Amino acid sequence: MATAVCARFLLQRSAQGFLFSSRAAPAFSSPFLCRAHRLGPSDDEIYQRTTVSIMQKELGSGAMIQSYSSHGFNIDGNRVFGPCAVLPPAILQWNVGSHKDITEESVSLFHLLEPRIEILVLGTGARVERINPSVLALLKSKGIAVEVQDTPNACATFNFLTSERRVAAAGLIPPPVSTALEVTE
C-alpha cells in the first residue's frame, strides 16, 4: 500500500517535469522513507525497539576493602585493627605478626571453609615477602591458588576478584608506617 502511494507520487512529480538524479533527496529515492510508510516491527533492519534494563547491586556480592593504614583496614565500613583474614562469610582478626608467622597452622582456616576458596591473596606488608614453601604446597594440595603481594596490591587484587564474583579470601598484614612523606623540621 505504502509503496503504491510513493510510486504514484513519484509518477505525478515526474510527469510535471521534475528531474530526478542520483543526488535526489532521500524522501524521493526510497519508498521506505516516504511519509505514507511508518516503520514497524516487520522492518527489523530499520526499526528496532530499544529496551533498558536497570541493574542493581545484588546482595551478598562480597566484602570490599575500602582503605588500609598502618593500624588496620576499613572493610565495608567495619574498622579492623591489625592483621585480618577476609573470608566470604566473615572478617576475622588473624593472629600473625609478620610474614614469618604465616605457617601451615595459621592458614588452616582458609582451607577448612565451605564453599571452597578458589584463590587466597596474601598481603605481606609494605613489600612482597617469601612465604614458607611448605605453606604454599599445603594450599596447592587443597586446590587453592595463592597470590602473594604487598598489602596495597593485595587489597586491590582481592577487590577485583570479589567484584568478578570469584570465591576469594585474603590474609592481610598492615604495612608499617611510611616515613617517606614525613615532614622534618
Side-chain angles (χ1 to χ4, degrees):
M1 173 72 181
T3 54
V5 172
C6 286
R8 189 178 322 131
F9 177 76
L10 290 173
L11 287 174
Q12 289 173 350
R13 294 292 180 214
S14 64
Q16 295 174 358
F18 281 85
L19 177 64
F20 294 105
S21 69
S22 62
R23 299 179 67 180
F28 297 120
S29 63
S30 172
F32 289 108
L33 298 176
C34 73
R35 289 186 176 187
H37 183 74
R38 296 193 73 167
L39 296 177
S42 62
D43 303 317
D44 59 272
E45 288 185 19
I46 300 172
Y47 174 89
Q48 292 183 354
R49 188 166 288 197
T50 303
T51 59
V52 176
S53 299
I54 298 174
M55 299 179 68
Q56 296 177 346
K57 184 177 178 182
E58 295 178 17
L59 297 176
S61 63
M64 297 296 274
I65 302 167
Q66 296 170 336
S67 65
Y68 63 90
S69 70
S70 61
H71 300 292
F73 302 89
N74 183 351
I75 303 171
D76 285 337
N78 299 312
R79 186 85 175 133
V80 181
F81 292 99
C84 67
V86 184
L87 309 168
I91 304 166
L92 305 171
Q93 287 192 316
W94 195 27
N95 193 17
V96 295
S98 71
H99 70 281
K100 295 174 185 172
D101 297 330
I102 299 175
T103 62
E104 294 175 11
E105 185 178 278
S106 67
V107 297
S108 63
L109 68 115
F110 295 111
H111 63 79
L112 295 175
L113 291 175
E114 277 301 320
R116 182 168 242 146
I117 293 173
E118 295 176 28
I119 186 165
L120 171 62
V121 182
L122 292 175
T124 58
R127 52 182 228 182
V128 179
E129 301 288 350
R130 290 184 52 87
I131 303 297
N132 188 340
S134 65
V135 173
L136 299 175
L138 171 72
L139 292 168
K140 183 178 180 180
S141 71
K142 300 292 184 179
I144 299 173
V146 180
E147 185 69 34
V148 180
Q149 299 177 336
D150 59 334
T151 299
N153 288 319
C155 292
T157 301
F158 176 78
N159 285 345
F160 176 76
L161 292 170
T162 301
S163 71
E164 290 206 334
R165 301 208 183 281
R166 302 280 302 270
V167 183
L172 303 170
I173 300 171
V177 177
S178 175
T179 59
L181 297 176
E182 287 184 9
V183 178
T184 57
E185 293 182 22

